[in-house]
Each structure stands twice: as structure tokens, then as C-alpha cells.
Amino acid sequence: MRTLSSTSRILSAVAVLAAAALALGGAYFAGFISELQRDLNDPAIHRQADRHIGSIEKALGYDGFLKAYRNYRLTGDGAASEQMNRKAAEAIVAIRQLQAIYTSNPTATETLREAHAIAGAFDHVARTAPQLGPAALRGTAAMEELGTLPQIPQLEAAYLSLRSVLDRLKQAERAHQLGGVASVLSWSQMLILGALASLVMLLLVVA
């Protein structure tokens, strides 16, 4: 009889501990679900990210930096040089804003490092571009400096690489969301199994 009483006390203690663990796990699970739902269902976050991505593509693309760079190489226009600096700066600001949005996503963070490196290359070109003036200056020191800058097709290739990186960023966000859903399912299974185990132990104690 003493052995049964001792066993009952042990089972009761285990059941209480299991219940406490389930309560703590349930609280964490509820918070996790709330955060996941915010990420999945908050359209403002996704619209904001899409807007920043669009800003990067526009700033460095064929109607932005690339257009200004083409004009700069062909005409030496000082206004084109200023536009190059402005567009590169806009792209870097947008990338930093994306980094703030995706701080909890390691894959997106790494992808944005690549995007920042490419945008930094555009910024370097803009900052190091010599002042050519309105007239053709072939044979001058300025033209020799111009020869050290990338050709237009090279920058176009860099831009296409940036577009590829931004596409991977979108895929990384979708993968992050799917990973969150998988975590939810895993936690659900663990809580259900824990609840069943606690129920069995309580039944054993009552019996």
C-alpha cells in the first residue's frame, strides 16, 4: 500500500510538472503564433518591402542610374554626374530600409548584403567619375580617368545581377513564412502529445 501511495505521489508530481511545462509552452506558442500572424497577415509590411525593392530597381535601372551614366559617358554632362550620385544614394537608402524590415530573417539579411555590395559599386562609380565638361576631351587626363570606369554593358550586367539578388530576397521571405508555418505545426504536435501524456498520468493517479 505504501508503494502504491509513493507511486501515486510521483505520478502526481510528474503530471503537475507536465501541466506547468504545457502552460509555459502554450504561452510561448501563443506569442509565436501572434508574431507569425502579424508577419503573414500585415499587408503594410509587404507593401513597404515591395516599394523599397521597386525604388532600388528604379534608381539604378534603365530610367535611373544607367540612363544618367550613358549620358555622362557620351556627353560629359555635369547634371548626369549629379544624377548618378543621387540615384546611387537613393538605392542605398532603400536597401538599408529593407535591412530594417528583415532583421529577423537571416537569409534575407545575407541577400541584402549582396545587394548593398552591388549598389555600393554603383555609388563608387558615381563618386569617382571625373568632371568631363560639355566638350569632348579625348586625350586629356579626364578621359584617361574615364577609361578606368566600367563600360555601359558592364554596369548593365551588374544591374541584372542586382535584380537577381532582389528576386532571391522575395523567395527568401516566402521561405521564411513557410518555415514559420512548419514550426507552428511542429509545436502543435508537441503540445497535443504533451496534453495526452498528462491526461494519461492523471488517469493513472486517479485509478
Side-chain angles (χ1 to χ4, degrees):
M1 195 68 179
R2 184 178 301 172
T3 302
L4 291 176
S5 177
S6 176
T7 302
S8 297
R9 286 197 298 271
I10 293 173
L11 289 175
S12 297
V14 171
V16 170
L17 290 174
L22 284 172
L24 292 174
Y28 173 81
F29 181 67
F32 182 80
I33 288 293
S34 177
E35 182 69 16
L36 180 64
Q37 286 179 335
R38 184 187 69 82
D39 290 341
L40 292 176
N41 299 327
D42 189 352
I45 294 177
H46 302 300
R47 284 199 302 267
Q48 188 178 13
D50 289 341
R51 186 169 64 252
H52 292 321
I53 290 173
S55 296
I56 297 167
E57 294 175 344
K58 182 179 179 180
L60 299 182
Y62 295 100
D63 290 327
F65 189 101
L66 290 178
K67 180 179 180 180
Y69 188 66
R70 184 179 294 107
N71 291 339
Y72 165 78
R73 290 193 68 96
L74 292 175
T75 67
D77 186 6
S81 178
E82 294 176 3
Q83 187 179 15
M84 287 158 50
N85 279 281
R86 186 170 63 253
K87 293 300 182 181
E90 289 175 3
I92 290 177
V93 168
I95 290 173
R96 287 173 179 166
Q97 290 171 332
L98 283 171
Q99 289 172 328
I101 292 174
Y102 292 120
T103 53
S104 62
N105 187 334
T107 303
T109 298
E110 183 60 32
T111 303
L112 283 169
R113 287 198 188 98
E114 295 182 45
H116 191 278
I118 297 173
F122 279 79
D123 182 61
H124 176 75
V125 169
R127 287 187 290 102
T128 58
Q131 296 297 320
L132 299 181
L137 300 174
R138 295 188 183 278
T140 66
M143 289 306 298
E144 291 178 2
E145 289 183 48
L146 181 62
T148 65
L149 296 178
Q151 296 293 321
I152 293 173
Q154 291 175 301
L155 272 187
E156 289 176 338
Y159 173 69
L160 293 177
S161 177
L162 176 65
R163 289 285 301 270
S164 177
V165 170
L166 294 176
D167 287 341
R168 285 196 285 114
L169 175 64
K170 297 175 184 178
Q171 295 171 2
E173 173 60 12
R174 286 194 291 269
H176 182 66
Q177 293 174 354
L178 292 175
V181 172
S183 297
V184 167
L185 295 176
S186 177
W187 269 98
S188 299
Q189 293 174 348
M190 291 175 61
L191 288 174
I192 291 171
L193 290 175
L196 289 174
S198 296
L199 178 61
V200 169
M201 285 187 288
L202 288 172
L203 290 175
L204 289 173
V205 170
V206 173

